[in-house]
Amino acid sequence: MAVLKHLLTGILVCWAMQTQAQILKQKDNAEALYNQAVQETKLQHYDKAISLSHEALKAQPDFIDQQLLLARLYMLTKQYDLSRKYTKAVLAKNPRYRDAYYYAINVELTTGKYAEAECYADEALAYFPGSREFMLKKLGILDLQHKVYRGNELAETIMSKYPEDTTVRNAYIEHYLQSGKYYQQLGNSGMARQSYDRVLLADPHNRDAREANLGVALKGGNYQSALEQVNDELAAHPGNYDLLMRKLSILEDMHAYVEALSTLQEIQRRYPGDAKARTMETSLRMEAATYYANMDPYTLYGSVLEKNPGNREALDKLIGYSMARGAYQEALAWINRGLKANPNDSHLLALKMDVLEGDRKYGSAAALAMILYQRSPNPMLKERLVQLQTVTGREYLAQQQYDLALASFESALKVSPGDSAVLHLLANTYISQKNTSAALKVLDQALTYYPANESFLLKKSGVLADAGRYEEAAAIAGELATRYPSDERFSNNFVDMRLTAGRNLMKAEEYDLAKQQFEQVLAIVPSNQEALDYMINMQSATGKPDSALYFADKALTLYPGNRDFLLKKASVLQDMHAYNESAAITADLVNRYPYTLKYKNAYLTSLMSAGTDYQRNQQPDSALAVFNQVLALRPKDSMALLYSINILNGQQRYDSALAYIAQGIKYYPDNETFLMKRAITLENKKDLTAAALVADSIVKLQPTAVNTDYRDYLASKTLKNQFGLYYLNSSYDYMSDKYNIATIEYRRYIKRGSYAVQLNYAGRKTGNGLQGLAEMYYTHTPKLYSYGMLAYSNKTVFPQLRAAYSIFKTFKKDIEVELGGRYLNLDSTNSISGVVSVAKPFGDFWVNLRGYAISESSDFYTSFNLTTRYFMNRRQDYLQVVAGLGTSPDDRSRLINFPNLTGLLTHSIGAGYQKVIRYRTTLGLFGTWINQKISDTGYQNQYDIYVTLQRKF
C-alpha cells in the first residue's frame, strides 16, 4: 500500500507539472497569435485577423485583450451583434476596462440604439467620474435623442469643469446650435434664441448662431431684436450690400418707412448701378402711404398718450403691444416713461423686471426683484428673485467674471440659505478658484440643511483631498462607501482618496505612512493593481524585500502572467541577490516579448548580477558562462567583456583573454581600458615586446603620468643588457691607507634569469689588484631559483679565489628561505661557510635575516646580518637599513683582512637609498659604519661609502 501511495503521488505531481507546462505553452501561443492579429488589423486584413483571434481564444479562452480586439474587428466589418457579444463579455470580466466602453457606445450609436448607448455612457461615468471623454460621448447621445434639457445641464457641467479645453468648447457650441435648430423646428422661438445666445456667449463671432438668431427673431416677429443684430453686423462690416438689404427688409416689416427710405437711399448712394434698389423706391413709398393712411392700434394708443400722458390704459396697451412684438427696448422706454411719473409703481416695476428678463438683462431684473421682494415678501417673489440671481451668476461664470458670479450667488443664498442649486453653484465657483476654506464653509452650510446628501458629502471629500487633508477626506469617502455598498462610485472614490494620500506621502518620503494608505485600499479591494504595485515598491524602498516578494506573489496570483508584476518580482529577487531566479523570470519575458527593450535590459541586469556574484564566491567558470550569455544578447556589453577578460587572465588563459579584448577593441576602438587590458595580458603572457608597443599606443592616446610610467616599465622589460659602474670607498681610524674598489660590470638578462661578468680594480702601495668575477641567477620554477658566483684574482688586494652558491625557495605567505655555501682562499688560508637566510615582505617593507657558519682551519665562527628595506615606486626604489654582527664572507670591504677579523667581536650598521629612473637607470648610495673590538678596552672603526650606477640598454 505504501508503494502504491507513493506511486500515485508521483503520477499526480507529474500530471500537474505537465498540465502547468501545457497552460504556459498555450498562453505563449495565444500571445503570439494576438500580436499577429493586431498586425493584420493594422493592414486592414480583417478576415485574417478574425481567424487568428479565434485561434488565440481557443488557446486561452479568458484572454480579455483578444476578446476586445474581436469586438473591434466585428464592428469594423459591420457585424454588430457579434461585436456587442464580445464587448459585453469583456465588461463582465473587467467593468473598469475603459476601451471596452468606447466600443460598446459606438456599436449602439451605429445601430441607432441611443438608449443603450446612453446606459453604457452612464456606466462608464460611474467608474470614471468626471471623465471628459465619456461626458462628451453622453452629450452627443443626448443630442441625438433631442433630450435638450438634460443636454443643457450636462453641457454647462462640462464647460464649468473644463473651461479652457478647446474640444469641450467646440462640443458646447455644437450642442447649443443643435438645440437651437431643434427648437426652431418645434416653433419655439424663445428657447431657440436662448440656445443661440449661449453659442454667442462662448463664441461672439459665430456666424451660424448669428444667422440663426436673426432668422428666429424675424420668424417670431421680433423685428427690433433682428434690427439690432443687423446693425451690430453693419458696425463690423459697414456698407455691406446684403446686410443693408436685410436691414431694409426688416424696417419695411416694422413699418418704419422713414428709416427704410433712408436705408434705401444709402444703398443707392453706395451702389448707384444697382437696378433692384432703383425699382424698390416707388413700391416702398406707395406701401408707406397706404400704411400711414390706416395706422395700427399701436400708433393710435401712442397718439392718445401723447395727448394725455397720464392715461394708464394707453400706457399699459403700448407696453403690452411692444412686448408682444418682442420690441423690448420700446417696451422698456414706455415703462420708464410711466415710472418717471410714478417711481414706486409696483406693477410697472414688475413689468420692467419681466422686460429685462426677456431681454436677458438678468442682473438688472434681479435688482428690481430684490426691491419688490423687500416691499412685499412672498414665496413667489422669493423664488423669482433667487432664480434671477442664480441665472445672473451663471451668466457671469460663462464670462469668467468669478467675483461678480460669487456676489450673485451669495445674494441668492442670503434670501434662500437652503437652496441646494445655489449652494452647489457657490461651492463649485469657490472650488474652481482653489478657495478651499470658502468652499468648505459653503459645503458645511449645505450639510446643515442636507446632512445625508451624498453629492455635498462627495464634493466636500474632494475639496479636503485637494487641500491635502486626506484622512478627513477618506473618512467621508469611507462613510459613503459603507452607506452605499452597492454603488461603486463611492468605493472607487474612497480607493482614489487613499491612493492619492499614499502617493503624496511617498513624495514626502513618508514610506511607512504611505504603506498604511495602500494597506487600507487592499483591505477594501484586494485586487487593486495600483495599490499592489505601490506596496511592492514601498517594501523594496524600505529594505523589506521579503515583504515585497510576498506582495509580488499575491499580485501574480490575482493577475497571473501580468508583465509588469513579473518584472517587479524579478526586481525584488534581484534585490534579494536571488539572481538566477530573477534571470529565469526576465528570460521568460524576453522569450515572450523579444522586441521589448525593458525586458531585455532587465534580463541582462540579472545575468550581470549573477555573474559578479559567482566571481565574489570564487566560481570563475560559472561567472564566465553567465557573462557569455550576456555577450550572446549584447556583444557590445563592455562590463561583461571586462569581467570575462579578468577571469581569463586570473586563470592564465591569456589567448582566450586576448580574443575577448579584440572583441572589445572592435566595438570600442581607441578605448584606453581595453588597450590597457591588452598590454597587461601580453605582459602576463611574457610577450613583452608586443605589450610595450600597445602601451606606447596608449600613451599617444592618453599621455597621463600613469600610462607613461607603465610604457617605460614595459619597455625596460624588453631590454636584455645592462652596464654597471660601482665604487667602494673604505676608510679606517687605525691606519692611513684606504681600501677603494672600482667595478665595471656587464649583465645579460635571459628568459630564466641573468648572468654577469665583472672586473674589479683596487690600487695599493704594494701593487694593483684585479679580480674577474662571474655570477648568475637562474630560475628553476616560479618559486625556486639559484645564485652562483666565481671570482679569481692576482692575489694582490683581492682573495685569490672566491666562490658562492645559494638556492632560494618561496613558501606560503611569501616566506623565502635560502640555503647555500661560500668558499674563500686568501694567503693559503681556506675558509668555508654555510649560509641560511629567511626573508618575508610586510606590505612595502621587506626583512631578511641571514646567518653564516664559518669554518677556518680549526676555528669556527658565526656572523649575522639583518636587512630591512622600504620599497617605493612599483618596488623599484627603496630605503635600506642593515645591522650586522661578526664579519661575513660576503663583505667585500673586509675580505682582504678576513682571516684576521673573523675572531673579533664586530658590530656594523648601514643605510642606503636606491633610485630607479624610468626603469632604465639605477643610482645607489650606501654608507656603513663598522666597529670591532680588538682588546678588552680597545676598539677600531671602519667607514664604507658605496656608490652604484646601472643602465639598461
Side-chain angles (χ1 to χ4, degrees), residues 847-881:
V847 179
N848 176 272
L849 176 63
R850 175 176 280 127
Y852 299 88
I854 304 166
S855 174
E856 186 179 313
S857 299
S858 59
D859 296 324
F860 183 80
Y861 308 102
T862 59
S863 176
F864 299 95
N865 279 340
L866 177 64
T867 303
T868 301
R869 290 176 180 172
Y870 173 69
F871 286 99
M872 299 167 285
N873 187 24
R874 295 172 66 96
R875 302 187 72 82
Q876 297 296 305
D877 305 339
Y878 62 81
L879 291 168
Q880 175 176 286
V881 176

CSV table of all heavy atoms in Angstrom, one decimal, residues 847-881:
chain,number,residue,atom,x,y,z
A,847,VAL,N,62.1,42.2,5.0
A,847,VAL,CA,63.0,42.0,6.0
A,847,VAL,C,63.7,40.7,5.7
A,847,VAL,O,63.1,39.7,5.4
A,847,VAL,CB,62.3,41.9,7.4
A,847,VAL,CG1,63.3,41.5,8.5
A,847,VAL,CG2,61.6,43.2,7.7
A,848,ASN,N,65.1,40.7,5.9
A,848,ASN,CA,65.9,39.5,5.7
A,848,ASN,C,66.9,39.3,6.8
A,848,ASN,O,67.6,40.2,7.2
A,848,ASN,CB,66.6,39.6,4.3
A,848,ASN,CG,67.6,38.5,4.1
A,848,ASN,OD1,68.7,38.4,4.5
A,848,ASN,ND2,67.1,37.5,3.4
A,849,LEU,N,66.9,38.1,7.3
A,849,LEU,CA,67.8,37.7,8.4
A,849,LEU,C,68.7,36.6,7.8
A,849,LEU,O,68.2,35.5,7.5
A,849,LEU,CB,67.1,37.3,9.7
A,849,LEU,CG,68.0,36.8,10.8
A,849,LEU,CD1,68.9,37.9,11.3
A,849,LEU,CD2,67.2,36.2,11.9
A,850,ARG,N,70.0,36.9,7.8
A,850,ARG,CA,71.0,35.9,7.2
A,850,ARG,C,72.0,35.5,8.3
A,850,ARG,O,72.6,36.4,8.9
A,850,ARG,CB,71.6,36.5,6.0
A,850,ARG,CG,72.7,35.6,5.4
A,850,ARG,CD,73.2,36.1,4.1
A,850,ARG,NE,72.3,35.8,3.0
A,850,ARG,CZ,71.9,36.7,2.1
A,850,ARG,NH1,72.2,38.0,2.3
A,850,ARG,NH2,71.1,36.4,1.1
A,851,GLY,N,72.3,34.2,8.4
A,851,GLY,CA,73.4,33.8,9.3
A,851,GLY,C,74.4,33.0,8.6
A,851,GLY,O,74.1,32.2,7.6
A,852,TYR,N,75.7,33.1,9.0
A,852,TYR,CA,76.8,32.4,8.4
A,852,TYR,C,77.4,31.5,9.5
A,852,TYR,O,77.7,32.0,10.6
A,852,TYR,CB,77.8,33.4,7.9
A,852,TYR,CG,77.3,34.3,6.8
A,852,TYR,CD1,76.7,35.5,7.1
A,852,TYR,CD2,77.5,33.9,5.5
A,852,TYR,CE1,76.3,36.4,6.1
A,852,TYR,CE2,77.1,34.8,4.5
A,852,TYR,CZ,76.5,36.0,4.8
A,852,TYR,OH,76.1,36.9,3.8
A,853,ALA,N,77.8,30.3,9.1
A,853,ALA,CA,78.6,29.4,10.0
A,853,ALA,C,79.9,29.3,9.3
A,853,ALA,O,80.0,28.7,8.2
A,853,ALA,CB,77.9,28.1,10.2
A,854,ILE,N,81.0,29.8,9.9
A,854,ILE,CA,82.3,30.0,9.2
A,854,ILE,C,83.3,29.0,9.8
A,854,ILE,O,83.5,29.0,11.0
A,854,ILE,CB,82.8,31.4,9.3
A,854,ILE,CG1,81.7,32.4,8.8
A,854,ILE,CG2,84.1,31.6,8.5
A,854,ILE,CD1,82.0,33.8,9.1
A,855,SER,N,83.9,28.2,8.9
A,855,SER,CA,84.9,27.3,9.4
A,855,SER,C,86.3,27.7,8.7
A,855,SER,O,86.3,27.7,7.5
A,855,SER,CB,84.6,25.8,9.0
A,855,SER,OG,85.6,24.9,9.3
A,856,GLU,N,87.3,27.9,9.6
A,856,GLU,CA,88.6,28.4,9.1
A,856,GLU,C,89.7,27.6,9.9
A,856,GLU,O,89.8,27.9,11.1
A,856,GLU,CB,88.7,29.9,9.3
A,856,GLU,CG,89.9,30.5,8.7
A,856,GLU,CD,90.0,32.0,9.0
A,856,GLU,OE1,89.0,32.7,8.7
A,856,GLU,OE2,91.1,32.5,9.4
A,857,SER,N,90.4,26.7,9.1
A,857,SER,CA,91.3,25.8,9.8
A,857,SER,C,90.6,25.1,10.9
A,857,SER,O,89.6,24.4,10.7
A,857,SER,CB,92.5,26.6,10.3
A,857,SER,OG,93.2,27.2,9.2
A,858,SER,N,91.1,25.3,12.1
A,858,SER,CA,90.4,24.5,13.2
A,858,SER,C,89.4,25.4,14.0
A,858,SER,O,88.9,25.0,15.0
A,858,SER,CB,91.5,24.0,14.2
A,858,SER,OG,92.2,25.1,14.7
A,859,ASP,N,89.3,26.7,13.5
A,859,ASP,CA,88.4,27.6,14.2
A,859,ASP,C,87.0,27.6,13.6
A,859,ASP,O,86.8,27.3,12.4
A,859,ASP,CB,89.0,29.0,14.2
A,859,ASP,CG,90.3,29.1,14.9
A,859,ASP,OD1,90.4,28.4,15.9
A,859,ASP,OD2,91.2,29.8,14.5
A,860,PHE,N,86.0,28.0,14.4
A,860,PHE,CA,84.6,28.1,13.9
A,860,PHE,C,84.0,29.4,14.4
A,860,PHE,O,84.0,29.7,15.6
A,860,PHE,CB,83.8,26.9,14.5
A,860,PHE,CG,82.4,26.8,14.0
A,860,PHE,CD1,82.1,26.3,12.7
A,860,PHE,CD2,81.3,27.3,14.8
A,860,PHE,CE1,80.7,26.3,12.3
A,860,PHE,CE2,80.0,27.3,14.3
A,860,PHE,CZ,79.7,26.8,13.0
A,861,TYR,N,83.4,30.1,13.5
A,861,TYR,CA,82.8,31.4,13.8
A,861,TYR,C,81.4,31.5,13.3
A,861,TYR,O,81.0,30.8,12.4
A,861,TYR,CB,83.7,32.6,13.3
A,861,TYR,CG,85.1,32.4,13.7
A,861,TYR,CD1,86.1,32.0,12.7
A,861,TYR,CD2,85.6,32.8,14.9
A,861,TYR,CE1,87.4,31.9,13.1
A,861,TYR,CE2,86.9,32.7,15.3
A,861,TYR,CZ,87.8,32.3,14.3
A,861,TYR,OH,89.1,32.1,14.7
A,862,THR,N,80.7,32.6,13.7
A,862,THR,CA,79.3,32.9,13.2
A,862,THR,C,79.3,34.4,12.9
A,862,THR,O,80.0,35.2,13.4
A,862,THR,CB,78.2,32.5,14.1
A,862,THR,OG1,78.4,33.2,15.4
A,862,THR,CG2,78.2,31.0,14.4
A,863,SER,N,78.3,34.6,12.0
A,863,SER,CA,78.1,36.1,11.6
A,863,SER,C,76.6,36.2,11.2
A,863,SER,O,76.0,35.2,10.7
A,863,SER,CB,79.0,36.5,10.4
A,863,SER,OG,78.7,37.8,10.0
A,864,PHE,N,76.1,37.4,11.5
A,864,PHE,CA,74.6,37.6,11.3
A,864,PHE,C,74.4,39.0,10.7
A,864,PHE,O,75.1,39.9,11.0
A,864,PHE,CB,73.8,37.5,12.5
A,864,PHE,CG,73.9,36.1,13.2
A,864,PHE,CD1,74.8,35.9,14.2
A,864,PHE,CD2,73.1,35.1,12.8
A,864,PHE,CE1,75.0,34.7,14.8
A,864,PHE,CE2,73.2,33.8,13.4
A,864,PHE,CZ,74.2,33.6,14.4
A,865,ASN,N,73.5,39.0,9.7
A,865,ASN,CA,73.0,40.3,9.1
A,865,ASN,C,71.5,40.4,9.1
A,865,ASN,O,70.8,39.4,8.8
A,865,ASN,CB,73.5,40.4,7.6
A,865,ASN,CG,75.0,40.8,7.5
A,865,ASN,OD1,75.5,41.4,8.5
A,865,ASN,ND2,75.6,40.5,6.4
A,866,LEU,N,71.0,41.6,9.5
A,866,LEU,CA,69.6,41.8,9.4
A,866,LEU,C,69.4,43.0,8.5
A,866,LEU,O,69.9,44.1,8.8
A,866,LEU,CB,69.0,42.2,10.8
A,866,LEU,CG,67.5,42.5,10.8
A,866,LEU,CD1,66.7,41.4,10.4
A,866,LEU,CD2,67.1,43.0,12.2
A,867,THR,N,68.7,42.8,7.4
A,867,THR,CA,68.4,43.8,6.3
A,867,THR,C,67.0,44.2,6.3
A,867,THR,O,66.1,43.3,6.2
A,867,THR,CB,68.9,43.4,5.0
A,867,THR,OG1,70.3,43.0,5.0
A,867,THR,CG2,68.7,44.5,3.9
A,868,THR,N,66.7,45.5,6.3
A,868,THR,CA,65.3,45.9,6.2
A,868,THR,C,65.2,47.0,5.1
A,868,THR,O,66.0,47.9,5.0
A,868,THR,CB,64.8,46.6,7.5
A,868,THR,OG1,64.8,45.6,8.5
A,868,THR,CG2,63.3,47.0,7.3
A,869,ARG,N,64.2,46.8,4.2
A,869,ARG,CA,64.1,47.7,3.1
A,869,ARG,C,62.6,48.2,3.0
A,869,ARG,O,61.7,47.5,3.3
A,869,ARG,CB,64.4,47.0,1.7
A,869,ARG,CG,65.8,46.7,1.5
A,869,ARG,CD,66.1,46.0,0.2
A,869,ARG,NE,67.5,45.7,0.0
A,869,ARG,CZ,67.9,44.9,-1.0
A,869,ARG,NH1,67.1,44.4,-1.9
A,869,ARG,NH2,69.2,44.7,-1.1
A,870,TYR,N,62.5,49.5,2.6
A,870,TYR,CA,61.2,50.0,2.4
A,870,TYR,C,61.1,50.4,1.0
A,870,TYR,O,61.8,51.3,0.5
A,870,TYR,CB,61.0,51.3,3.3
A,870,TYR,CG,59.7,52.0,3.0
A,870,TYR,CD1,58.4,51.5,3.3
A,870,TYR,CD2,59.7,53.3,2.3
A,870,TYR,CE1,57.3,52.1,3.0
A,870,TYR,CE2,58.5,53.9,2.0
A,870,TYR,CZ,57.3,53.4,2.4
A,870,TYR,OH,56.2,54.0,2.0
A,871,PHE,N,60.2,49.8,0.2
A,871,PHE,CA,60.1,49.9,-1.2
A,871,PHE,C,59.1,51.0,-1.6
A,871,PHE,O,58.1,51.2,-1.0
A,871,PHE,CB,59.6,48.6,-1.9
A,871,PHE,CG,60.7,47.5,-1.9
A,871,PHE,CD1,60.7,46.5,-0.9
A,871,PHE,CD2,61.7,47.6,-2.9
A,871,PHE,CE1,61.7,45.6,-0.9
A,871,PHE,CE2,62.7,46.6,-2.9
A,871,PHE,CZ,62.7,45.6,-1.9
A,872,MET,N,59.4,51.6,-2.8
A,872,MET,CA,58.6,52.7,-3.3
A,872,MET,C,58.6,52.6,-4.8
A,872,MET,O,59.4,51.8,-5.4
A,872,MET,CB,59.2,54.1,-2.9
A,872,MET,CG,59.2,54.3,-1.4
A,872,MET,SD,60.2,55.8,-1.0
A,872,MET,CE,61.9,55.1,-1.3
A,873,ASN,N,57.7,53.2,-5.5
A,873,ASN,CA,57.7,53.3,-7.0
A,873,ASN,C,57.7,52.0,-7.6
A,873,ASN,O,58.7,51.6,-8.3
A,873,ASN,CB,58.9,54.2,-7.4
A,873,ASN,CG,58.8,54.5,-8.9
A,873,ASN,OD1,57.8,54.4,-9.5
A,873,ASN,ND2,60.0,54.7,-9.5
A,874,ARG,N,56.6,51.2,-7.4
A,874,ARG,CA,56.4,49.9,-8.0
A,874,ARG,C,57.6,49.0,-7.6
A,874,ARG,O,58.1,48.1,-8.3
A,874,ARG,CB,56.4,49.9,-9.5
A,874,ARG,CG,55.1,50.6,-10.1
A,874,ARG,CD,55.2,50.8,-11.6
A,874,ARG,NE,55.2,49.6,-12.3
A,874,ARG,CZ,54.1,49.0,-12.8
A,874,ARG,NH1,52.9,49.7,-12.7
A,874,ARG,NH2,54.1,47.9,-13.5
A,875,ARG,N,58.0,49.1,-6.3
A,875,ARG,CA,59.1,48.3,-5.7
A,875,ARG,C,60.4,48.5,-6.5
A,875,ARG,O,61.3,47.6,-6.4
A,875,ARG,CB,58.7,46.9,-5.6
A,875,ARG,CG,57.4,46.7,-4.8
A,875,ARG,CD,57.1,45.2,-4.6
A,875,ARG,NE,58.0,44.6,-3.6
A,875,ARG,CZ,57.9,44.7,-2.3
A,875,ARG,NH1,56.9,45.3,-1.8
A,875,ARG,NH2,58.8,44.1,-1.5
A,876,GLN,N,60.6,49.6,-7.1
A,876,GLN,CA,61.9,49.8,-7.8
A,876,GLN,C,62.8,50.6,-6.9
A,876,GLN,O,64.0,50.3,-6.8
A,876,GLN,CB,61.6,50.7,-9.1
A,876,GLN,CG,60.8,50.0,-10.1
A,876,GLN,CD,61.5,48.7,-10.7
A,876,GLN,OE1,62.6,48.8,-11.2
A,876,GLN,NE2,60.8,47.6,-10.6
A,877,ASP,N,62.4,51.6,-6.2
A,877,ASP,CA,63.2,52.4,-5.3
A,877,ASP,C,63.0,51.8,-3.9
A,877,ASP,O,62.0,51.3,-3.5
A,877,ASP,CB,62.7,53.8,-5.3
A,877,ASP,CG,62.7,54.4,-6.7
A,877,ASP,OD1,63.4,53.9,-7.6
A,877,ASP,OD2,62.0,55.4,-6.9
A,878,TYR,N,64.1,52.0,-3.1
A,878,TYR,CA,64.0,51.6,-1.7
A,878,TYR,C,65.0,52.3,-0.8
A,878,TYR,O,66.0,52.8,-1.2
A,878,TYR,CB,64.1,50.1,-1.5
A,878,TYR,CG,65.5,49.5,-1.9
A,878,TYR,CD1,66.6,49.6,-1.1
A,878,TYR,CD2,65.6,48.9,-3.2
A,878,TYR,CE1,67.8,49.1,-1.5
A,878,TYR,CE2,66.8,48.4,-3.6
A,878,TYR,CZ,67.9,48.5,-2.7
A,878,TYR,OH,69.2,47.9,-3.1
A,879,LEU,N,64.6,52.4,0.5
A,879,LEU,CA,65.5,52.8,1.6
A,879,LEU,C,65.9,51.6,2.3
A,879,LEU,O,65.1,50.7,2.5
A,879,LEU,CB,64.8,53.8,2.5
A,879,LEU,CG,64.4,55.2,2.0
A,879,LEU,CD1,63.5,55.9,2.9
A,879,LEU,CD2,65.7,56.0,1.8
A,880,GLN,N,67.2,51.5,2.7
A,880,GLN,CA,67.7,50.3,3.3
A,880,GLN,C,68.4,50.6,4.6
A,880,GLN,O,69.2,51.5,4.7
A,880,GLN,CB,68.6,49.6,2.3
A,880,GLN,CG,69.3,48.3,2.9
A,880,GLN,CD,70.1,47.6,1.8
A,880,GLN,OE1,69.6,47.0,0.9
A,880,GLN,NE2,71.5,47.8,1.9
A,881,VAL,N,68.2,49.7,5.6
A,881,VAL,CA,69.0,49.7,6.8
A,881,VAL,C,69.5,48.3,7.1
A,881,VAL,O,68.7,47.4,7.0
A,881,VAL,CB,68.1,50.2,8.0
A,881,VAL,CG1,68.9,50.2,9.3
A,881,VAL,CG2,67.6,51.6,7.8
